[in-house]
Amino acid sequence: MWDWMYTVNTTVAMAPSLSSVQAGTGTRSSVASTTTSLGRPLRTLPSLRLPSLRIGVLAPSCKSSHIHWISLSSSFLANFSAIRNRASSNAMSNLLVFRRHSYSNKMISIRCAISSAPNASGESILPQGATEVDAFYMRMCVDLARQAVGKTSPNPIVGCVIVKDGRIVGRGFHPKAGEPHAEVFALREAGPLAQGATAYVSLEPCNHYGRTPPCSQALVKAKLKRVVVGVVDPNPQVGGKGIKTLRNAGIEVVVGVEETLCLKANESFMHRMATGRPFVTLRYSMSMDGGFLGNMGLSNAQGGLYSKLLQENDAVVITDAAVLDDPDLLSSEPGAKQPLRVILARSLDLPVESKVFDTSYAKTLVLADQKSCIDDIQRKSADGKSIEARLRAGGVDVVMMNDLTLENVLSVCYQLGATSVLLDSRGPVSSGLENFLGQQALDEEAAQKVVVQVAPIFLGENRTEPCFRMDSDLVKLERVSSHMVGQDVVIEGYFPERS
């Protein structure tokens, strides 16, 4: 009997760095890199059969995470001598120390996962027939799906993972509308290994012929043994029919694993299917003492909050006053599909040289009320051209509207294919700060979600407050959450559903 001490370090959210270690495959937020601190080369280490170990520490680098756990497995038993957890400001590490009492020439096999989010009582919620392993792979599906954020509209984002004998044999996600669905890419990668395997998919497989064949039939043809579904597709053409097709073929189907996470990943799609209207997010910034910040400190740098919001939404709406600060309203995320930029103009006295009117990278639409159009015609420039004519010459669409209500504005956006709209309440100090869009969204009950960025500054007596005027009782947000972006605190919440 041998009695050696081994140490295994794992760090969350980093890809495997040692090819000699058989690490579980996944996405950036769920795969752990593995390093060793040993008295001899890794290639001579034995494989160990250990029970699953749950370590109760937060994993802040994974948005969908709650508890980080490690599973080590092989053909021999081992005893734990010590377990320690340690965290740093940039990453979390779990230090696992154990003693080996048996020898084998097999490699260490390490898999890392994140447990299900708990309910109010602190317990994980899993549907009947589901396990923690199912929840882990479903979160991997959502992470895969998010690689196509902002690119699939009007389709949902979907991820698929195929697992056989504890090994991932196929992965895929839906890249954009008109291209194959996630299941197709995963099945292509799995090939014949898909037979008898389990497929995890974040949204119910489609069951109809559209621009692509039904995925439910593809899964049946591949002879899957089991399919785990995150959430039922609300599309009337699917709506449980894909699940029924799979079950009729003798495939075991489990539905509702990480359902809340899967619903949130496609909240705009779900809202559109339920209401026939775009999903609307209201965004604004404020100081620590309640001052409305407008454009102060707002940046659309890559990886930042604002850049990601522009990437996630099909359209962004600002007022004519916000144009004076010369924003481009373009996401800096790599490969982002740029949103339709919508300007609400109560006056067409606009700086046509502003970056937002450069249509080289994204379309721009000006929605102007009737009075502003009449005033513009009467106020032609020296060359005899109106602002409207000059905007049109630059490729900007201008539409005259009798009433600039958000209901009408959102209706136009929806007709142009926007299923998600960002109401960006902002503007420069020089134009006189006002929370025009925020107030309008509240008055018309137009928004489903609100995102508030709180900067660590005090404006003092000169501050302008958001000044939400309400005739009725207070509005209490639901599903409120917060996180840090740099030094700012971002608060997100959802308005109660309209009755």
Side-chain angles (χ1 to χ4, degrees):
M1 296 291 288
W2 298 83
D3 190 16
W4 293 348
M5 178 75 75
Y6 299 122
T7 304
V8 178
N9 271 300
T10 65
T11 303
V12 174
M14 295 182 64
S17 58
L18 296 178
S19 58
S20 58
V21 177
Q22 301 171 351
T25 307
T27 61
R28 284 174 295 178
S29 62
S30 58
V31 180
S33 69
T34 307
T35 59
T36 58
S37 175
L38 304 162
R40 57 188 304 172
L42 179 63
R43 63 179 179 272
T44 62
L45 291 180
S47 237
L48 303 172
R49 184 182 300 280
L50 303 178
S52 294
L53 171 68
R54 294 176 63 98
I55 304 176
V57 291
L58 293 179
S61 57
C62 180
K63 291 183 179 179
S64 60
S65 68
H66 176 63
I67 295 177
H68 185 65
W69 59 274
I70 301 173
S71 175
L72 302 178
S73 62
S74 82
S75 57
F76 291 92
L77 297 176
N79 294 329
F80 294 105
S81 62
I83 298 175
R84 287 189 301 169
N85 301 324
R86 66 185 183 187
S88 67
S89 58
N90 298 320
M92 178 197 72
S93 296
N94 297 325
L95 184 61
L96 172 62
V97 182
F98 56 89
R99 292 184 183 275
R100 185 181 71 82
H101 291 274
S102 302
Y103 181 79
S104 167
N105 289 323
K106 295 182 180 180
M107 293 294 180
I108 292 181
S109 176
I110 300 178
R111 240 180 358 187
C112 295
I114 307 296
S115 76
S116 299
N119 59 15
S121 64
E123 298 176 352
S124 298
I125 302 174
L126 291 170
Q128 185 174 0
T131 67
E132 287 282 3
V133 173
D134 293 332
F136 164 52
Y137 286 121
M138 188 57 67
R139 284 189 295 278
M140 189 182 291
C141 288
V142 173
D143 284 339
L144 282 169
R146 284 177 175 149
Q147 295 185 43
V149 164
K151 300 176 183 178
T152 64
S153 182
N155 290 357
I157 58 171
V158 184
C160 179
V161 175
I162 298 177
V163 179
K164 187 171 186 178
D165 299 328
R167 184 168 67 93
I168 296 173
V169 296
R171 289 175 295 180
F173 64 92
H174 178 45
K176 66 178 183 178
E179 293 197 8
H181 292 180
E183 299 92 325
V184 175
F185 286 107
L187 287 171
R188 285 178 184 175
E189 184 180 333
L193 292 176
Q195 183 172 346
T198 296
Y200 298 87
V201 59
S202 57
L203 184 70
E204 176 186 5
C206 66
N207 197 59
H208 61 287
Y209 283 90
R211 284 184 278 186
T212 58
C215 292
S216 57
Q217 295 292 345
L219 293 170
V220 170
K221 186 176 180 180
K223 299 181 180 179
L224 272 296
K225 179 181 180 181
R226 183 169 177 258
V227 175
V228 180
V229 176
V231 65
V232 175
D233 191 338
N235 187 336
Q237 293 181 296
V238 187
K241 298 174 185 175
I243 294 171
K244 183 178 180 181
T245 295
L246 295 172
R247 285 175 172 161
N248 287 344
I251 297 174
E252 178 190 351
V253 182
V254 178
V255 182
V257 175
E258 292 289 0
E259 185 176 52
T260 300
L261 182 65
C262 294
L263 284 169
K264 182 175 175 58
N266 278 306
E267 57 189 8
S268 60
F269 173 77
M270 299 293 177
H271 178 78
R272 178 174 70 88
M273 283 294 165
T275 66
R277 295 191 295 267
F279 183 86
V280 180
T281 300
L282 169 65
R283 188 217 71 85
Y284 65 92
S285 302
M286 62 187 297
S287 64
M288 293 289 286
D289 55 345
F292 184 59
L293 291 182
N295 292 334
M296 187 183 298
L298 189 61
S299 169
N300 65 342
Q302 181 179 330
L305 172 68
Y306 193 65
S307 177
K308 289 182 177 180
L309 285 173
L310 292 175
Q311 178 191 33
E312 294 169 2
N313 287 274
D314 295 332
V316 54
V317 179
I318 63 173
T319 63
D320 47 11
V323 178
L324 299 178
D325 199 45
D326 198 21
D328 59 16
L329 302 183
L330 297 175
S331 172
S332 300
E333 302 310 300
K337 179 183 176 182
Q338 300 298 343
L340 170 67
R341 301 170 296 184
V342 182
I343 316 299
L344 302 192
R346 292 171 289 177
S347 169
L348 278 178
D349 189 13
L350 300 169
V352 294
E353 68 280 358
S354 174
K355 290 193 287 286
V356 76
F357 297 129
D358 180 356
T359 57
S360 303
Y361 302 101
K363 294 181 179 180
T364 300
L365 170 66
V366 174
L367 299 180
D369 64 20
Q370 191 173 31
K371 183 179 182 302
S372 67
C373 291
I374 295 173
D375 292 342
D376 180 50
I377 293 174
Q378 296 174 345
R379 189 185 60 245
K380 290 182 179 180
S381 59
D383 59 4
K385 292 183 178 180
S386 64
I387 296 294
E388 178 183 350
R390 295 170 66 188
L391 288 172
R392 290 185 183 278
V396 176
D397 292 324
V398 181
V399 176
M400 184 179 72
M401 303 185 69
N402 292 328
D403 194 358
L404 275 180
T405 63
L406 283 182
E407 182 179 1
N408 293 338
V409 170
L410 294 174
S411 178
V412 171
C413 291
Y414 192 66
Q415 291 173 30
L416 294 174
T419 63
S420 55
V421 178
L422 176 66
L423 299 180
D424 188 11
S425 193
R426 57 186 282 177
V429 175
S430 59
S431 67
L433 288 174
E434 59 174 332
N435 188 17
F436 177 75
L437 283 179
Q439 184 63 53
Q440 210 171 351
L442 204 64
D443 290 343
E444 298 186 37
E445 297 182 332
Q448 284 69 55
K449 183 178 181 179
V450 61
V451 177
V452 182
Q453 191 164 354
V454 183
I457 59 175
F458 287 83
L459 295 179
E461 296 179 356
N462 295 324
R463 69 182 183 276
T464 300
E465 296 180 357
C467 294
F468 286 106
R469 300 178 302 276
M470 295 181 290
D471 297 328
S472 58
D473 295 335
L474 61 85
V475 177
K476 187 175 182 180
L477 297 177
E478 301 172 347
R479 292 174 283 157
V480 178
S481 62
S482 63
H483 61 277
M484 297 292 295
V485 175
Q487 291 186 323
D488 295 348
V489 177
V490 177
I491 303 171
E492 298 182 1
Y494 294 81
F495 290 101
E497 292 186 11
R498 287 181 286 182
S499 56

